[in-house]
PDB file of all heavy atoms in Angstrom:
ATOM      1  N   SER A  71      49.353 240.623  39.828  1.00 97.00           N
ATOM      2  CA  SER A  71      48.872 239.240  39.724  1.00 97.00           C
ATOM      3  C   SER A  71      49.307 238.420  40.933  1.00 97.00           C
ATOM      4  O   SER A  71      48.506 237.672  41.519  1.00 97.00           O
ATOM      5  CB  SER A  71      49.389 238.585  38.443  1.00 97.00           C
ATOM      6  OG  SER A  71      48.881 239.219  37.301  1.00 97.00           O
ATOM      7  N   LEU A  72      50.563 238.539  41.307  1.00 97.00           N
ATOM      8  CA  LEU A  72      51.075 237.791  42.459  1.00 97.00           C
ATOM      9  C   LEU A  72      50.384 238.227  43.750  1.00 97.00           C
ATOM     10  O   LEU A  72      50.079 237.396  44.617  1.00 97.00           O
ATOM     11  CB  LEU A  72      52.592 237.979  42.572  1.00 97.00           C
ATOM     12  CG  LEU A  72      53.420 237.369  41.430  1.00 97.00           C
ATOM     13  CD1 LEU A  72      54.892 237.743  41.570  1.00 97.00           C
ATOM     14  CD2 LEU A  72      53.261 235.851  41.414  1.00 97.00           C
ATOM     15  N   LEU A  73      50.133 239.527  43.887  1.00 97.00           N
ATOM     16  CA  LEU A  73      49.434 240.018  45.078  1.00 97.00           C
ATOM     17  C   LEU A  73      48.010 239.462  45.142  1.00 97.00           C
ATOM     18  O   LEU A  73      47.530 239.073  46.216  1.00 97.00           O
ATOM     19  CB  LEU A  73      49.392 241.550  45.064  1.00 97.00           C
ATOM     20  CG  LEU A  73      50.731 242.274  45.296  1.00 97.00           C
ATOM     21  CD1 LEU A  73      50.568 243.777  45.093  1.00 97.00           C
ATOM     22  CD2 LEU A  73      51.263 241.982  46.697  1.00 97.00           C
ATOM     23  N   LEU A  74      47.332 239.392  43.985  1.00 97.00           N
ATOM     24  CA  LEU A  74      45.970 238.868  43.964  1.00 97.00           C
ATOM     25  C   LEU A  74      45.946 237.363  44.235  1.00 97.00           C
ATOM     26  O   LEU A  74      45.049 236.864  44.932  1.00 97.00           O
ATOM     27  CB  LEU A  74      45.307 239.175  42.616  1.00 97.00           C
ATOM     28  CG  LEU A  74      45.000 240.649  42.342  1.00 97.00           C
ATOM     29  CD1 LEU A  74      44.421 240.836  40.950  1.00 97.00           C
ATOM     30  CD2 LEU A  74      44.033 241.206  43.381  1.00 97.00           C
ATOM     31  N   VAL A  75      46.910 236.639  43.697  1.00 97.00           N
ATOM     32  CA  VAL A  75      46.999 235.206  43.980  1.00 97.00           C
ATOM     33  C   VAL A  75      47.192 234.971  45.474  1.00 97.00           C
ATOM     34  O   VAL A  75      46.613 234.052  46.062  1.00 97.00           O
ATOM     35  CB  VAL A  75      48.141 234.564  43.167  1.00 97.00           C
ATOM     36  CG1 VAL A  75      48.435 233.144  43.661  1.00 97.00           C
ATOM     37  CG2 VAL A  75      47.793 234.523  41.680  1.00 97.00           C
ATOM     38  N   SER A  76      47.979 235.839  46.118  1.00 96.00           N
ATOM     39  CA  SER A  76      48.196 235.704  47.563  1.00 96.00           C
ATOM     40  C   SER A  76      46.904 235.884  48.356  1.00 96.00           C
ATOM     41  O   SER A  76      46.787 235.401  49.481  1.00 96.00           O
ATOM     42  CB  SER A  76      49.237 236.729  48.031  1.00 96.00           C
ATOM     43  OG  SER A  76      48.686 238.044  48.070  1.00 96.00           O
ATOM     44  N   GLN A  77      45.921 236.570  47.761  1.00 96.00           N
ATOM     45  CA  GLN A  77      44.638 236.793  48.431  1.00 96.00           C
ATOM     46  C   GLN A  77      43.592 235.736  48.074  1.00 96.00           C
ATOM     47  O   GLN A  77      42.477 235.783  48.578  1.00 96.00           O
ATOM     48  CB  GLN A  77      44.103 238.185  48.071  1.00 96.00           C
ATOM     49  CG  GLN A  77      44.939 239.324  48.599  1.00 96.00           C
ATOM     50  CD  GLN A  77      45.044 239.288  50.113  1.00 96.00           C
ATOM     51  OE1 GLN A  77      44.039 239.284  50.821  1.00 96.00           O
ATOM     52  NE2 GLN A  77      46.271 239.244  50.618  1.00 96.00           N
ATOM     53  N   GLY A  78      43.968 234.804  47.180  1.00 95.00           N
ATOM     54  CA  GLY A  78      43.051 233.712  46.858  1.00 95.00           C
ATOM     55  C   GLY A  78      42.442 233.761  45.479  1.00 95.00           C
ATOM     56  O   GLY A  78      41.536 232.975  45.175  1.00 95.00           O
ATOM     57  N   VAL A  79      42.903 234.655  44.608  1.00 95.00           N
ATOM     58  CA  VAL A  79      42.388 234.711  43.235  1.00 95.00           C
ATOM     59  C   VAL A  79      43.019 233.578  42.430  1.00 95.00           C
ATOM     60  O   VAL A  79      44.241 233.436  42.427  1.00 95.00           O
ATOM     61  CB  VAL A  79      42.698 236.076  42.584  1.00 95.00           C
ATOM     62  CG1 VAL A  79      42.196 236.116  41.143  1.00 95.00           C
ATOM     63  CG2 VAL A  79      42.081 237.203  43.395  1.00 95.00           C
ATOM     64  N   PRO A  80      42.224 232.746  41.731  1.00 94.00           N
ATOM     65  CA  PRO A  80      42.784 231.595  40.995  1.00 94.00           C
ATOM     66  C   PRO A  80      43.626 232.016  39.795  1.00 94.00           C
ATOM     67  O   PRO A  80      43.397 233.060  39.196  1.00 94.00           O
ATOM     68  CB  PRO A  80      41.539 230.834  40.526  1.00 94.00           C
ATOM     69  CG  PRO A  80      40.376 231.444  41.224  1.00 94.00           C
ATOM     70  CD  PRO A  80      40.768 232.819  41.629  1.00 94.00           C
ATOM     71  N   GLN A  81      44.588 231.156  39.460  1.00 94.00           N
ATOM     72  CA  GLN A  81      45.363 231.298  38.234  1.00 94.00           C
ATOM     73  C   GLN A  81      45.681 229.883  37.770  1.00 94.00           C
ATOM     74  O   GLN A  81      46.673 229.283  38.168  1.00 94.00           O
ATOM     75  CB  GLN A  81      46.655 232.105  38.481  1.00 94.00           C
ATOM     76  CG  GLN A  81      47.521 232.308  37.248  1.00 94.00           C
ATOM     77  CD  GLN A  81      46.882 233.211  36.205  1.00 94.00           C
ATOM     78  OE1 GLN A  81      45.965 233.969  36.519  1.00 94.00           O
ATOM     79  NE2 GLN A  81      47.335 233.128  34.971  1.00 94.00           N
ATOM     80  N   THR A  82      44.800 229.322  36.946  1.00 92.00           N
ATOM     81  CA  THR A  82      44.915 227.919  36.567  1.00 92.00           C
ATOM     82  C   THR A  82      44.295 227.700  35.190  1.00 92.00           C
ATOM     83  O   THR A  82      43.472 228.499  34.740  1.00 92.00           O
ATOM     84  CB  THR A  82      44.200 227.022  37.594  1.00 92.00           C
ATOM     85  OG1 THR A  82      44.271 225.662  37.173  1.00 92.00           O
ATOM     86  CG2 THR A  82      42.732 227.411  37.744  1.00 92.00           C
ATOM     87  N   PHE A  83      44.712 226.598  34.533  1.00 91.00           N
ATOM     88  CA  PHE A  83      44.104 226.191  33.265  1.00 91.00           C
ATOM     89  C   PHE A  83      43.249 224.939  33.451  1.00 91.00           C
ATOM     90  O   PHE A  83      42.824 224.325  32.478  1.00 91.00           O
ATOM     91  CB  PHE A  83      45.179 225.937  32.210  1.00 91.00           C
ATOM     92  CG  PHE A  83      45.895 227.189  31.780  1.00 91.00           C
ATOM     93  CD1 PHE A  83      47.221 227.391  32.095  1.00 91.00           C
ATOM     94  CD2 PHE A  83      45.231 228.179  31.075  1.00 91.00           C
ATOM     95  CE1 PHE A  83      47.878 228.547  31.717  1.00 91.00           C
ATOM     96  CE2 PHE A  83      45.877 229.344  30.689  1.00 91.00           C
ATOM     97  CZ  PHE A  83      47.210 229.533  31.010  1.00 91.00           C
ATOM     98  N   ALA A  84      42.998 224.564  34.701  1.00 89.00           N
ATOM     99  CA  ALA A  84      42.160 223.403  34.985  1.00 89.00           C
ATOM    100  C   ALA A  84      40.710 223.701  34.634  1.00 89.00           C
ATOM    101  O   ALA A  84      40.276 224.854  34.691  1.00 89.00           O
ATOM    102  CB  ALA A  84      42.282 223.027  36.461  1.00 89.00           C
ATOM    103  N   PRO A  85      39.941 222.673  34.275  1.00 88.00           N
ATOM    104  CA  PRO A  85      38.523 222.898  33.964  1.00 88.00           C
ATOM    105  C   PRO A  85      37.728 223.244  35.216  1.00 88.00           C
ATOM    106  O   PRO A  85      38.244 223.190  36.340  1.00 88.00           O
ATOM    107  CB  PRO A  85      38.080 221.558  33.379  1.00 88.00           C
ATOM    108  CG  PRO A  85      39.030 220.554  33.949  1.00 88.00           C
ATOM    109  CD  PRO A  85      40.342 221.272  34.085  1.00 88.00           C
ATOM    110  N   ASN A  86      36.462 223.594  35.013  1.00 90.00           N
ATOM    111  CA  ASN A  86      35.594 223.914  36.139  1.00 90.00           C
ATOM    112  C   ASN A  86      35.517 222.756  37.131  1.00 90.00           C
ATOM    113  O   ASN A  86      35.613 221.584  36.743  1.00 90.00           O
ATOM    114  CB  ASN A  86      34.178 224.245  35.652  1.00 90.00           C
ATOM    115  CG  ASN A  86      34.136 225.534  34.855  1.00 90.00           C
ATOM    116  OD1 ASN A  86      35.133 226.235  34.730  1.00 90.00           O
ATOM    117  ND2 ASN A  86      32.972 225.855  34.309  1.00 90.00           N
ATOM    118  N   VAL A  87      35.332 223.093  38.393  1.00 90.00           N
ATOM    119  CA  VAL A  87      35.254 222.091  39.451  1.00 90.00           C
ATOM    120  C   VAL A  87      33.784 221.843  39.784  1.00 90.00           C
ATOM    121  O   VAL A  87      33.020 222.796  39.985  1.00 90.00           O
ATOM    122  CB  VAL A  87      36.014 222.561  40.708  1.00 90.00           C
ATOM    123  CG1 VAL A  87      35.820 221.581  41.854  1.00 90.00           C
ATOM    124  CG2 VAL A  87      37.486 222.746  40.392  1.00 90.00           C
ATOM    125  N   VAL A  88      33.392 220.584  39.848  1.00 91.00           N
ATOM    126  CA  VAL A  88      32.035 220.220  40.250  1.00 91.00           C
ATOM    127  C   VAL A  88      32.067 219.825  41.719  1.00 91.00           C
ATOM    128  O   VAL A  88      32.753 218.866  42.098  1.00 91.00           O
ATOM    129  CB  VAL A  88      31.463 219.081  39.390  1.00 91.00           C
ATOM    130  CG1 VAL A  88      30.054 218.717  39.861  1.00 91.00           C
ATOM    131  CG2 VAL A  88      31.452 219.477  37.927  1.00 91.00           C
ATOM    132  N   ALA A  89      31.371 220.574  42.556  1.00 91.00           N
ATOM    133  CA  ALA A  89      31.386 220.343  43.997  1.00 91.00           C
ATOM    134  C   ALA A  89      30.004 219.904  44.481  1.00 91.00           C
ATOM    135  O   ALA A  89      28.982 220.367  43.969  1.00 91.00           O
ATOM    136  CB  ALA A  89      31.819 221.608  44.729  1.00 91.00           C
ATOM    137  N   LYS A  90      30.005 219.000  45.474  1.00 90.00           N
ATOM    138  CA  LYS A  90      28.754 218.568  46.092  1.00 90.00           C
ATOM    139  C   LYS A  90      28.480 219.458  47.293  1.00 90.00           C
ATOM    140  O   LYS A  90      29.297 219.578  48.194  1.00 90.00           O
ATOM    141  CB  LYS A  90      28.856 217.108  46.520  1.00 90.00           C
ATOM    142  CG  LYS A  90      27.535 216.538  47.021  1.00 90.00           C
ATOM    143  CD  LYS A  90      27.650 215.053  47.309  1.00 90.00           C
ATOM    144  CE  LYS A  90      26.304 214.481  47.753  1.00 90.00           C
ATOM    145  NZ  LYS A  90      26.383 213.021  48.016  1.00 90.00           N
ATOM    146  N   THR A  91      27.331 220.098  47.317  1.00 90.00           N
ATOM    147  CA  THR A  91      27.011 221.036  48.388  1.00 90.00           C
ATOM    148  C   THR A  91      26.504 220.286  49.618  1.00 90.00           C
ATOM    149  O   THR A  91      26.223 219.076  49.569  1.00 90.00           O
ATOM    150  CB  THR A  91      25.929 222.031  47.933  1.00 90.00           C
ATOM    151  OG1 THR A  91      24.696 221.333  47.762  1.00 90.00           O
ATOM    152  CG2 THR A  91      26.318 222.683  46.611  1.00 90.00           C
ATOM    153  N   ILE A  92      26.365 220.986  50.743  1.00 91.00           N
ATOM    154  CA  ILE A  92      25.892 220.367  51.975  1.00 91.00           C
ATOM    155  C   ILE A  92      24.425 219.946  51.863  1.00 91.00           C
ATOM    156  O   ILE A  92      23.932 219.175  52.683  1.00 91.00           O
ATOM    157  CB  ILE A  92      26.075 221.320  53.186  1.00 91.00           C
ATOM    158  CG1 ILE A  92      25.322 222.635  52.956  1.00 91.00           C
ATOM    159  CG2 ILE A  92      27.549 221.569  53.455  1.00 91.00           C
ATOM    160  CD1 ILE A  92      25.370 223.569  54.159  1.00 91.00           C
ATOM    161  N   GLU A  93      23.729 220.460  50.833  1.00 91.00           N
ATOM    162  CA  GLU A  93      22.342 220.074  50.608  1.00 91.00           C
ATOM    163  C   GLU A  93      22.225 218.839  49.722  1.00 91.00           C
ATOM    164  O   GLU A  93      21.125 218.388  49.408  1.00 91.00           O
ATOM    165  CB  GLU A  93      21.576 221.234  49.968  1.00 91.00           C
ATOM    166  CG  GLU A  93      21.482 222.469  50.856  1.00 91.00           C
ATOM    167  CD  GLU A  93      20.864 223.645  50.132  1.00 91.00           C
ATOM    168  OE1 GLU A  93      21.013 223.704  48.888  1.00 91.00           O
ATOM    169  OE2 GLU A  93      20.244 224.487  50.779  1.00 91.00           O
ATOM    170  N   GLY A  94      23.394 218.300  49.298  1.00 90.00           N
ATOM    171  CA  GLY A  94      23.388 217.115  48.460  1.00 90.00           C
ATOM    172  C   GLY A  94      23.257 217.389  46.982  1.00 90.00           C
ATOM    173  O   GLY A  94      23.126 216.461  46.182  1.00 90.00           O
ATOM    174  N   LEU A  95      23.287 218.668  46.588  1.00 92.00           N
ATOM    175  CA  LEU A  95      23.215 219.039  45.184  1.00 92.00           C
ATOM    176  C   LEU A  95      24.616 219.262  44.626  1.00 92.00           C
ATOM    177  O   LEU A  95      25.599 219.270  45.370  1.00 92.00           O
ATOM    178  CB  LEU A  95      22.372 220.305  45.017  1.00 92.00           C
ATOM    179  CG  LEU A  95      20.939 220.228  45.561  1.00 92.00           C
ATOM    180  CD1 LEU A  95      20.262 221.572  45.440  1.00 92.00           C
ATOM    181  CD2 LEU A  95      20.135 219.149  44.842  1.00 92.00           C
ATOM    182  N   TYR A  96      24.702 219.443  43.314  1.00 92.00           N
ATOM    183  CA  TYR A  96      26.002 219.636  42.673  1.00 92.00           C
ATOM    184  C   TYR A  96      26.084 221.037  42.072  1.00 92.00           C
ATOM    185  O   TYR A  96      25.138 221.525  41.460  1.00 92.00           O
ATOM    186  CB  TYR A  96      26.224 218.576  41.594  1.00 92.00           C
ATOM    187  CG  TYR A  96      26.429 217.198  42.176  1.00 92.00           C
ATOM    188  CD1 TYR A  96      25.343 216.341  42.366  1.00 92.00           C
ATOM    189  CD2 TYR A  96      27.690 216.764  42.572  1.00 92.00           C
ATOM    190  CE1 TYR A  96      25.512 215.079  42.914  1.00 92.00           C
ATOM    191  CE2 TYR A  96      27.871 215.506  43.118  1.00 92.00           C
ATOM    192  CZ  TYR A  96      26.781 214.674  43.300  1.00 92.00           C
ATOM    193  OH  TYR A  96      26.961 213.440  43.860  1.00 92.00           O
ATOM    194  N   GLN A  97      27.240 221.670  42.275  1.00 90.00           N
ATOM    195  CA  GLN A  97      27.446 223.039  41.795  1.00 90.00           C
ATOM    196  C   GLN A  97      28.690 223.097  40.923  1.00 90.00           C
ATOM    197  O   GLN A  97      29.750 222.551  41.287  1.00 90.00           O
ATOM    198  CB  GLN A  97      27.597 224.003  42.975  1.00 90.00           C
ATOM    199  CG  GLN A  97      27.816 225.454  42.557  1.00 90.00           C
ATOM    200  CD  GLN A  97      27.937 226.385  43.734  1.00 90.00           C
ATOM    201  OE1 GLN A  97      27.717 225.979  44.875  1.00 90.00           O
ATOM    202  NE2 GLN A  97      28.293 227.628  43.490  1.00 90.00           N
ATOM    203  N   ASP A  98      28.567 223.736  39.775  1.00 88.00           N
ATOM    204  CA  ASP A  98      29.691 223.904  38.851  1.00 88.00           C
ATOM    205  C   ASP A  98      30.425 225.190  39.210  1.00 88.00           C
ATOM    206  O   ASP A  98      29.869 226.283  39.082  1.00 88.00           O
ATOM    207  CB  ASP A  98      29.172 223.971  37.416  1.00 88.00           C
ATOM    208  CG  ASP A  98      30.288 223.843  36.395  1.00 88.00           C
ATOM    209  OD1 ASP A  98      31.132 222.952  36.545  1.00 88.00           O
ATOM    210  OD2 ASP A  98      30.307 224.651  35.442  1.00 88.00           O
ATOM    211  N   ILE A  99      31.671 225.078  39.673  1.00 89.00           N
ATOM    212  CA  ILE A  99      32.453 226.244  40.103  1.00 89.00           C
ATOM    213  C   ILE A  99      33.444 226.610  39.001  1.00 89.00           C
ATOM    214  O   ILE A  99      34.340 225.825  38.663  1.00 89.00           O
ATOM    215  CB  ILE A  99      33.198 225.972  41.424  1.00 89.00           C
ATOM    216  CG1 ILE A  99      32.175 225.620  42.523  1.00 89.00           C
ATOM    217  CG2 ILE A  99      34.032 227.170  41.835  1.00 89.00           C
ATOM    218  CD1 ILE A  99      32.803 225.227  43.834  1.00 89.00           C
ATOM    219  N   ALA A 100      33.282 227.791  38.432  1.00 89.00           N
ATOM    220  CA  ALA A 100      34.140 228.238  37.334  1.00 89.00           C
ATOM    221  C   ALA A 100      35.539 228.559  37.840  1.00 89.00           C
ATOM    222  O   ALA A 100      35.716 229.153  38.901  1.00 89.00           O
ATOM    223  CB  ALA A 100      33.523 229.457  36.662  1.00 89.00           C
ATOM    224  N   MET A 101      36.537 228.168  37.053  1.00 88.00           N
ATOM    225  CA  MET A 101      37.941 228.445  37.371  1.00 88.00           C
ATOM    226  C   MET A 101      38.582 229.121  36.154  1.00 88.00           C
ATOM    227  O   MET A 101      37.892 229.561  35.244  1.00 88.00           O
ATOM    228  CB  MET A 101      38.658 227.133  37.704  1.00 88.00           C
ATOM    229  CG  MET A 101      38.024 226.330  38.828  1.00 88.00           C
ATOM    230  SD  MET A 101      38.220 227.111  40.435  1.00 88.00           S
ATOM    231  CE  MET A 101      39.925 226.713  40.759  1.00 88.00           C
ATOM    232  N   GLY A 102      39.911 229.179  36.140  1.00 91.00           N
ATOM    233  CA  GLY A 102      40.604 229.718  34.980  1.00 91.00           C
ATOM    234  C   GLY A 102      41.747 230.646  35.334  1.00 91.00           C
ATOM    235  O   GLY A 102      42.041 230.876  36.518  1.00 91.00           O
ATOM    236  N   PRO A 103      42.419 231.223  34.322  1.00 93.00           N
ATOM    237  CA  PRO A 103      43.525 232.174  34.552  1.00 93.00           C
ATOM    238  C   PRO A 103      42.971 233.546  34.931  1.00 93.00           C
ATOM    239  O   PRO A 103      42.979 234.491  34.144  1.00 93.00           O
ATOM    240  CB  PRO A 103      44.245 232.200  33.200  1.00 93.00           C
ATOM    241  CG  PRO A 103      43.183 231.877  32.202  1.00 93.00           C
ATOM    242  CD  PRO A 103      42.227 230.934  32.882  1.00 93.00           C
ATOM    243  N   VAL A 104      42.486 233.665  36.151  1.00 94.00           N
ATOM    244  CA  VAL A 104      41.755 234.858  36.587  1.00 94.00           C
ATOM    245  C   VAL A 104      42.698 235.992  36.996  1.00 94.00           C
ATOM    246  O   VAL A 104      42.508 237.142  36.610  1.00 94.00           O
ATOM    247  CB  VAL A 104      40.803 234.515  37.755  1.00 94.00           C
ATOM    248  CG1 VAL A 104      39.993 235.739  38.164  1.00 94.00           C
ATOM    249  CG2 VAL A 104      39.878 233.363  37.381  1.00 94.00           C
ATOM    250  N   ALA A 105      43.719 235.670  37.803  1.00 95.00           N
ATOM    251  CA  ALA A 105      44.578 236.717  38.375  1.00 95.00           C
ATOM    252  C   ALA A 105      45.285 237.528  37.294  1.00 95.00           C
ATOM    253  O   ALA A 105      45.400 238.757  37.405  1.00 95.00           O
ATOM    254  CB  ALA A 105      45.603 236.099  39.323  1.00 95.00           C
ATOM    255  N   SER A 106      45.757 236.867  36.237  1.00 95.00           N
ATOM    256  CA  SER A 106      46.473 237.590  35.171  1.00 95.00           C
ATOM    257  C   SER A 106      45.547 238.553  34.451  1.00 95.00           C
ATOM    258  O   SER A 106      45.967 239.643  34.046  1.00 95.00           O
ATOM    259  CB  SER A 106      47.087 236.591  34.180  1.00 95.00           C
ATOM    260  OG  SER A 106      46.082 235.741  33.643  1.00 95.00           O
ATOM    261  N   LEU A 107      44.284 238.157  34.290  1.00 94.00           N
ATOM    262  CA  LEU A 107      43.323 239.060  33.656  1.00 94.00           C
ATOM    263  C   LEU A 107      42.950 240.203  34.591  1.00 94.00           C
ATOM    264  O   LEU A 107      42.850 241.361  34.170  1.00 94.00           O
ATOM    265  CB  LEU A 107      42.077 238.275  33.235  1.00 94.00           C
ATOM    266  CG  LEU A 107      40.995 239.021  32.446  1.00 94.00           C
ATOM    267  CD1 LEU A 107      40.310 238.085  31.461  1.00 94.00           C
ATOM    268  CD2 LEU A 107      39.941 239.647  33.352  1.00 94.00           C
ATOM    269  N   GLU A 108      42.753 239.885  35.870  1.00 95.00           N
ATOM    270  CA  GLU A 108      42.347 240.908  36.830  1.00 95.00           C
ATOM    271  C   GLU A 108      43.395 242.015  36.977  1.00 95.00           C
ATOM    272  O   GLU A 108      43.057 243.180  37.162  1.00 95.00           O
ATOM    273  CB  GLU A 108      42.089 240.269  38.198  1.00 95.00           C
ATOM    274  CG  GLU A 108      40.830 239.451  38.275  1.00 95.00           C
ATOM    275  CD  GLU A 108      39.596 240.272  38.002  1.00 95.00           C
ATOM    276  OE1 GLU A 108      39.332 241.235  38.750  1.00 95.00           O
ATOM    277  OE2 GLU A 108      38.898 239.957  37.023  1.00 95.00           O
ATOM    278  N   SER A 109      44.656 241.641  36.918  1.00 96.00           N
ATOM    279  CA  SER A 109      45.709 242.640  37.124  1.00 96.00           C
ATOM    280  C   SER A 109      45.695 243.692  36.027  1.00 96.00           C
ATOM    281  O   SER A 109      45.660 244.899  36.307  1.00 96.00           O
ATOM    282  CB  SER A 109      47.079 241.950  37.190  1.00 96.00           C
ATOM    283  OG  SER A 109      47.356 241.255  35.987  1.00 96.00           O
ATOM    284  N   ILE A 110      45.694 243.270  34.764  1.00 96.00           N
ATOM    285  CA  ILE A 110      45.716 244.251  33.673  1.00 96.00           C
ATOM    286  C   ILE A 110      44.346 244.882  33.484  1.00 96.00           C
ATOM    287  O   ILE A 110      44.230 246.010  32.999  1.00 96.00           O
ATOM    288  CB  ILE A 110      46.199 243.587  32.355  1.00 96.00           C
ATOM    289  CG1 ILE A 110      46.424 244.644  31.271  1.00 96.00           C
ATOM    290  CG2 ILE A 110      45.228 242.524  31.884  1.00 96.00           C
ATOM    291  CD1 ILE A 110      47.433 245.722  31.643  1.00 96.00           C
ATOM    292  N   LYS A 111      43.297 244.173  33.910  1.00 96.00           N
ATOM    293  CA  LYS A 111      41.951 244.751  33.870  1.00 96.00           C
ATOM    294  C   LYS A 111      41.897 246.059  34.639  1.00 96.00           C
ATOM    295  O   LYS A 111      41.273 247.031  34.197  1.00 96.00           O
ATOM    296  CB  LYS A 111      40.964 243.743  34.450  1.00 96.00           C
ATOM    297  CG  LYS A 111      39.684 244.305  35.056  1.00 96.00           C
ATOM    298  CD  LYS A 111      38.882 243.185  35.707  1.00 96.00           C
ATOM    299  CE  LYS A 111      37.804 243.716  36.624  1.00 96.00           C
ATOM    300  NZ  LYS A 111      37.006 242.638  37.237  1.00 96.00           N
ATOM    301  N   HIS A 112      42.561 246.111  35.776  1.00 96.00           N
ATOM    302  CA  HIS A 112      42.527 247.321  36.597  1.00 96.00           C
ATOM    303  C   HIS A 112      43.670 248.271  36.257  1.00 96.00           C
ATOM    304  O   HIS A 112      43.473 249.485  36.196  1.00 96.00           O
ATOM    305  CB  HIS A 112      42.565 246.940  38.073  1.00 96.00           C
ATOM    306  CG  HIS A 112      41.313 246.261  38.532  1.00 96.00           C
ATOM    307  ND1 HIS A 112      41.243 244.914  38.799  1.00 96.00           N
ATOM    308  CD2 HIS A 112      40.054 246.735  38.725  1.00 96.00           C
ATOM    309  CE1 HIS A 112      40.009 244.594  39.163  1.00 96.00           C
ATOM    310  NE2 HIS A 112      39.274 245.678  39.121  1.00 96.00           N
ATOM    311  N   LEU A 113      44.867 247.753  36.026  1.00 96.00           N
ATOM    312  CA  LEU A 113      45.996 248.632  35.685  1.00 96.00           C
ATOM    313  C   LEU A 113      45.750 249.382  34.380  1.00 96.00           C
ATOM    314  O   LEU A 113      46.117 250.544  34.235  1.00 96.00           O
ATOM    315  CB  LEU A 113      47.277 247.808  35.579  1.00 96.00           C
ATOM    316  CG  LEU A 113      47.903 247.347  36.889  1.00 96.00           C
ATOM    317  CD1 LEU A 113      48.958 246.289  36.622  1.00 96.00           C
ATOM    318  CD2 LEU A 113      48.506 248.523  37.651  1.00 96.00           C
TER     319      LEU A 113
END
């Protein structure tokens, strides 16, 4: 998990992030406790 976080995998309980794209549209970016799931998913 720590190795994956070091590579940029999120580990958070914050809600999804709404970002404004360069085209002026809005995109919902999913977040969550990803790294902890990814580690045991593969191990």
